[in-house]
């Protein structure tokens, strides 16, 4: 599983546990109700066979910080049981979601509950929220020094706050964002060349693109292109809402 650019909350209703395969080959059961922080490396996940049913909620990193109220660097490169962060209230919510008569009821329940928890949550730093928006909007091509200057703060301040409220440094987050953009373009039907993708996504050259793909996807861009359908536009399965990462309110800089 290549790195994502959102903090993912995974809630499984009726499915066997997924397993994380470590570099040594050991398999570790993943929580069925989990929050997955931002990653800057490839993870090997073994999916269970048979039908699966559940929810995946994509949160912006500052939004996840506001909702969960924990330093995001503690969640980076991990999959953590949500009850360790949200307590027993999450188990009550899962029971309600399972018993809900329809998907529309589930989504309304989630909207109500998440917004309720947010009102009592922390407020993310304004510079982090705006910095993430700008970095995400540039697909990781905005230089960190320029980003900090545009926000009116020092690079050191921005790096410290990103570690706390995003989970990765601005430079590492930018690398993941560039990779995601390149992977998207790689699977478009117009089939741009790898060199063109490297140039468009801010890589120094084709070799730079190739190295990042080997690190973050475990394969070359050409190998990834051959293994995926010719689109990366996410279409939700039946019964699952298609929505972007949840943006949450920000506070003032301290």
């Amino acid at each position: 599983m290549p790195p994502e650019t959102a903090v993912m909350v995974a809630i499984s209703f009726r499915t066997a546990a997924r397993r994380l395969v470590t570099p040594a080959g050991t398999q570790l059961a993943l929580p069925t109700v989990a929050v997955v922080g931002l990653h800057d490396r490839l993870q090997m996940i073994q999916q269970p066979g048979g039908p699966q049913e559940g929810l995946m909620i994509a949160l912006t990193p500052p939004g996840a910080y506001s909702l969960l109220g924990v330093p995001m660097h503690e969640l980076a490169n991990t999959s953590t049981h949500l009850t360790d962060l949200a307590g027993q209230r999450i188990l009550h919510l899962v029971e309600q979601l399972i018993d809900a008569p329809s998907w529309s009821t589930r989504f309304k329940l989630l909207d109500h509950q998440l917004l309720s928890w947010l009102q009592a949550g922390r407020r993310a730093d304004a510079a982090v929220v705006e910095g993430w928006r700008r970095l995400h909007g540039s697909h990781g091509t905005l230089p960190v020094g320029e980003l900090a200057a545009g926000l009116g703060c020092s690079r050191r301040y921005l790096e410290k706050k990103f570690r706390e409220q995003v989970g990765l440094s601005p430079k590492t987050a930018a690398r993941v964002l560039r990779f995601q953009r390149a992977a998207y373009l790689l699977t478009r039907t117009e089939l741009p060349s790898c060199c063109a993708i490297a140039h468009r996504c801010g890589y120094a050259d084709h070799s730079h693109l190739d190295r990042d793909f080997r690190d973050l996807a475990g394969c070359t861009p050409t190998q990834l292109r051959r293994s995926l359908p010719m689109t990366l536009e996410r279409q939700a399965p039946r019964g699952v809402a298609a929505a972007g990462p949840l943006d949450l309110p920000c506070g003032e800089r301290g």
Side-chain angles (χ1 to χ4, degrees):
M1 183 176 72
E4 279 283 357
T5 56
V7 175
M8 305 301 295
V9 175
I11 302 175
S12 298
F13 296 159
R14 301 174 183 89
T15 183
R18 299 180 304 158
R19 293 184 177 274
L20 172 67
V21 182
T22 68
T26 305
Q27 295 186 11
L28 304 174
L30 293 173
T32 55
V33 182
V35 56
V36 182
L38 290 190
H39 283 63
D40 61 0
R41 64 200 66 168
L42 177 69
Q43 282 199 321
M44 300 300 294
I45 305 294
Q46 184 183 70
Q47 296 284 358
Q52 301 181 45
E53 185 178 17
L55 283 165
M56 292 286 285
I57 306 167
L59 305 172
T60 64
Y65 172 78
S66 294
L67 183 66
L68 301 173
V70 298
M72 296 307 294
H73 65 83
E74 295 181 1
L75 304 182
N77 294 301
T78 68
S79 181
T80 305
H81 203 299
L82 200 51
T83 55
D84 293 342
L85 305 175
Q88 294 300 307
R89 63 182 183 176
I90 192 63
L91 295 181
H92 178 62
L93 174 60
V94 171
E95 291 175 357
Q96 290 181 299
L97 292 171
I98 291 174
D99 294 337
S102 65
W103 281 101
S104 61
T105 302
R106 286 169 173 159
F107 296 141
K108 289 178 182 178
L109 177 62
L110 275 174
D111 285 344
H112 172 77
Q113 192 63 75
L114 292 179
L115 289 174
S116 175
W117 291 347
L118 279 174
Q119 291 176 356
R122 297 183 180 182
R123 297 183 71 82
D125 188 284
V128 174
V129 174
E130 179 61 16
W132 175 258
R133 187 191 70 80
R134 295 184 187 186
L135 197 62
H136 194 280
S138 75
H139 304 293
T141 61
L142 184 62
V144 177
E146 183 178 332
L147 176 63
L151 294 169
C153 64
S154 70
R155 181 166 179 159
R156 181 178 179 182
Y157 177 89
L158 188 64
E159 289 174 345
K160 176 183 176 182
K161 290 298 182 180
F162 254 64
R163 183 174 184 271
E164 177 190 20
Q165 300 179 18
V166 172
L168 302 176
S169 69
K171 183 178 179 179
T172 303
R175 185 189 187 208
V176 174
L177 287 164
R178 283 196 307 271
F179 163 79
Q180 284 286 342
R181 177 60 173 169
Y184 173 81
L185 293 176
L186 195 69
T187 55
R188 299 293 292 167
T189 54
E190 55 263 31
L191 292 176
S193 70
C194 289
C195 288
I197 290 174
H199 176 73
R200 189 182 303 184
C201 295
Y203 290 94
D205 51 32
H206 186 184
S207 296
H208 185 193
L209 174 74
D210 200 67
R211 286 195 302 273
D212 264 17
F213 266 73
R214 289 181 184 276
D215 288 346
L216 300 178
C219 63
T220 66
T222 300
Q223 289 169 333
L224 183 66
R225 169 176 277 169
R226 291 171 179 168
S227 69
L228 296 178
M230 296 316 302
T231 180
L232 203 64
E233 293 177 345
R234 299 181 181 179
Q235 297 181 356
R238 184 177 302 174
V240 178
L246 178 63
D247 275 306
L248 304 176
C250 62
E252 296 297 326
R253 266 184 290 172

